[in-house]
Structures are given as C-alpha cells and as structure tokens.
Amino acid sequence: MAKEKLKGANPVARWLTSTPEQAKDTGMAMVLICLLLGYWGKFPKFLPVSLVLLIITMAWPKAFKPLAVLWFGLSHLLGSVMSRIILTVLFFLIVTPIALIRRLMGADAMQLKKWKQGQGSVFVEREGVIQGKDMANPY
C-alpha cells in the first residue's frame, strides 16, 4: 500500500519518505556495518552494539525510519546524479568517436550538405504503397 501511494508522488517526496521495509533494511545494514567494524575493523566494542541494533530491528523497526529516509534519500540522489554522469561519459566515449569517423569517411546521413541549397526538400520521398513488411523493419 505504501509503495502505491509513493508511486505517483514527485521524486523529492519519494526521497524524503521511507517504507517499513526500508526502515527494517536500514536497521539490518547498521547491524552489518557494526559487525564488520567489530570483526575486520578491530573495534570489538561494535559487536555488542550490533547485537542491540539487531534486537531493535527485530522488535521495533520503525526506530530506523529517520535514518532510512536519510539513507535511501542519499542513495536516490547519488543514483540520479551518477547515472547522468555515466551516460554522458559513455556518450562521449562511444557515440562521438563513431560520428567523427563517419564524418571523416564522408557519410552524410542527415544530408546536411544539401540543406538549404535549393527549393527542394532533403527528406526522402517514398514511392508506392506502404505494406506490413515495411513496418516490421522501419530502419
């Protein structure tokens, strides 16, 4: 029910709310972080803290709701920023070199050399009746 309610909300409202499942997941993540710090981080004082956090997570997971809002809000923000950065880098690493190579080889797919050279259109005129097989592979 909570997911359906948040589905139509604007992105900022979704980032500033959390579901009970997210609060429980945040509590379990805190338990895991404390266990890792206690075991590999050589901080044995975190082992009893992880036990207390585990009991709180099992008994009252809503206690982690404010932290879940921060945790998942930050993850949504990082996800939206990083996806834009990664897609931009991929575009410039893949599409731009292909376009430059095509331009050096003389390809003119958009017919830019014909653009505004005369009164005629640069659009491709199709002759004949369009059939179903033409729609199967439009490119």
Side-chain angles (χ1 to χ4, degrees):
M1 163 120 180
K3 288 185 181 180
E4 290 87 22
K5 188 187 292 184
L6 294 176
K7 202 177 240 184
N10 64 17
V12 176
R14 278 188 298 200
W15 293 355
L16 298 177
T17 58
S18 70
T19 63
E21 293 87 16
Q22 289 175 333
K24 192 185 315 179
D25 290 344
T26 302
M28 293 304 290
M30 294 299 113
V31 169
L32 179 63
I33 289 170
C34 287
L35 283 172
L36 291 174
L37 284 173
Y39 186 71
W40 278 305
K42 306 295 186 216
F43 298 109
K45 293 181 181 179
F46 278 102
L47 294 175
V49 173
S50 66
L51 183 63
V52 171
L53 288 174
L54 180 62
I55 293 170
I56 293 172
T57 302
M58 291 169 57
W60 186 43
K62 287 186 180 181
F64 294 101
K65 190 169 177 109
L67 189 58
V69 169
L70 179 69
W71 185 268
F72 282 92
L74 181 65
S75 69
H76 285 296
L77 180 66
L78 285 175
S80 63
V81 169
M82 288 308 296
S83 65
R84 286 178 174 84
I85 291 172
I86 290 169
L87 288 173
T88 302
V89 168
L90 283 176
F91 178 83
F92 283 110
L93 289 177
I94 295 173
V95 177
T96 304
I98 291 172
L100 290 174
I101 290 169
R102 284 182 49 97
R103 182 169 286 188
L104 288 173
M105 293 175 69
D108 189 19
M110 292 178 47
Q111 299 180 4
L112 293 174
K113 293 175 184 167
K114 292 182 185 177
W115 191 258
K116 301 223 178 187
Q117 294 295 321
Q119 297 294 330
S121 174
V122 295
F123 294 108
V124 176
E125 293 183 22
R126 295 189 174 216
E127 301 283 332
V129 179
I130 298 174
Q131 299 175 355
K133 66 179 182 178
D134 297 329
M135 295 296 163
N137 296 315
Y139 307 104

